[in-house]
Amino acid sequence: MRVDIITIFPDYFGTTAKGAGPLGVSLIGKAAARGDLDFRLHDLRRWATDVHHTVDDTPFGGGPGMVMKPDVWGTALDDVLTGDGTVTAPSAPSAPLARLIVPTPSGTPFTQGLAAAYAAEKRLVFACGRYEGIDSRVVADARSAMAVDEVSIGDYVLAGGEVAVCVILEAVCRLLPGVLGNEQSAADDSFGGGTGEAGDPMRGLLEGPVYTRPRSWRGREVPPVLLSGDHQAIARWRRDEALRRTAAVRPDLVSQIISGTPGGAAMLDARDRTVLAEAGFPVDGESMAH
Ligand code: ADE
């Protein structure tokens, strides 16, 4: 997968005097070293035309802060999409079709589902905004040529999109074939659990607690069922714990399964219902799974 990142802070991602940046370490770094991931960083200021390399201007209509200029972003995107990202690049019609991702607190929430969709793309281009954001005509214009997603990583405001790009890339890259090593780890994750089939109630649950050696640590024991060798009992215990944790910290997700997912409540078995009822979520018994 090719990943282009346009930013006024390319050093944020790149190598530093102390070593590799966030794209150069861990699983992502190894995938990049293997050539499975092809990261290209672009400094937006290269497309600024004035002597000060200005990329922002005051907002029309007044208000605080600055807005990123559409002309600078427009030529940057044109060059990155059709060429190799150099300002003078000739157009290359054979460049793979890209999906443009613009991180913004005003975007749609980033989810595991979006991460999976991005992992299936051949090419992603990230446009990192700063200040009060990018002139809105840039996204409107890009939409006439490609798929564009404005995506938020949470209900808080960051100083810019760079951290959001790292978050999104970490979620996406670990889903690429060969990146994670143990493919099952991705399937068991919070939000990606269960069989992954539509209506599977384990989808959308948080992962329960995990343990490793030693069996006893500071007087705290590993739950005995995990030492039992009884795989069915272990699976049931994990499901109970996932239901309990989700009910405790993300009641919205439990409500979504019970009433927001078509057939979701019907997929809950008697034990699921008991656990959820104990956690304060009585489930209507009529549509119970057998
Ligand atoms: N840029 C600033 N805040 C952001 C957020 N919450 N998500 C994505 N991009 C952002």
Side-chain angles (χ1 to χ4, degrees):
M1 176 190 282
R2 174 169 160 179
V3 179
D4 293 89
I5 303 169
I6 310 172
T7 168
I8 59 168
F9 295 121
D11 289 348
Y12 186 94
F13 303 94
T15 48
T16 66
K18 286 190 174 166
L23 306 180
V25 294
S26 188
L27 298 167
I28 294 177
K30 281 184 195 151
R34 274 200 311 272
D36 291 345
L37 285 168
D38 177 9
F39 289 117
R40 316 242 183 138
L41 288 166
H42 311 279
D43 185 348
L44 179 70
R45 290 193 195 278
R46 289 167 54 200
W47 284 277
T49 49
D50 67 325
V51 68
H52 300 295
H53 304 289
T54 307
V55 295
D56 59 340
D57 205 340
T58 52
F60 277 127
M66 302 290 272
V67 174
M68 296 188 104
K69 289 160 65 63
D71 46 349
V72 178
W73 268 110
T75 44
L77 285 169
D78 289 349
D79 279 341
V80 168
L81 287 164
T82 60
D84 65 2
T86 57
V87 179
T88 54
S91 86
S94 59
L97 265 178
R99 187 156 173 170
L100 177 64
I101 302 167
V102 185
T104 163
S106 317
T108 54
F110 181 61
T111 59
Q112 190 67 22
L114 267 188
Y118 294 165
E121 297 279 353
K122 283 196 164 50
R123 186 174 179 199
L124 300 176
V125 177
F126 289 94
C128 297
R130 282 260 153 188
Y131 317 115
E132 296 301 311
I134 303 171
D135 184 301
S136 293
R137 291 167 293 181
V138 173
V139 162
D141 190 58
R143 281 216 166 100
S144 63
M146 64 195 302
V148 183
D149 291 357
E150 292 182 282
V151 175
S152 168
I153 62 160
D155 291 339
Y156 38 77
V157 181
L158 305 166
E162 287 77 8
V163 178
V165 169
C166 288
V167 168
I168 294 169
L169 278 176
E170 183 137 337
V172 169
C173 291
R174 61 190 288 285
L175 299 179
L176 298 175
V179 170
L180 200 59
N182 176 7
E183 306 297 331
Q184 189 58 37
S185 298
D188 284 349
D189 285 338
S190 297
F191 301 109
T195 63
E197 283 160 19
D200 178 350
M202 289 307 281
R203 256 193 106 78
L205 291 181
L206 305 183
E207 199 179 350
V210 294
Y211 302 88
T212 187
R213 278 183 283 263
R215 285 182 182 200
S216 179
W217 178 76
R218 296 190 178 177
R220 296 170 191 274
E221 307 299 323
V222 170
V225 65
L226 297 179
L227 312 173
S228 68
D230 180 342
H231 298 299
Q232 215 176 335
I234 291 170
R236 183 63 253 180
W237 180 86
R238 286 188 170 143
R239 188 170 165 105
D240 289 357
E241 290 298 315
L243 288 163
R244 286 189 191 114
R245 181 174 282 190
T246 310
V249 303
R250 291 292 304 275
D252 57 310
L253 295 177
V254 175
S255 302
Q256 175 75 14
I257 290 166
I258 293 173
S259 48
T261 310
M267 293 290 292
L268 297 170
D269 66 19
R271 174 69 191 163
D272 293 337
R273 285 157 192 263
T274 303
V275 172
L276 285 177
E278 284 168 2
F281 284 90
V283 188
D284 167 22
E286 274 175 28
S287 48
M288 193 186 294
H290 302 292

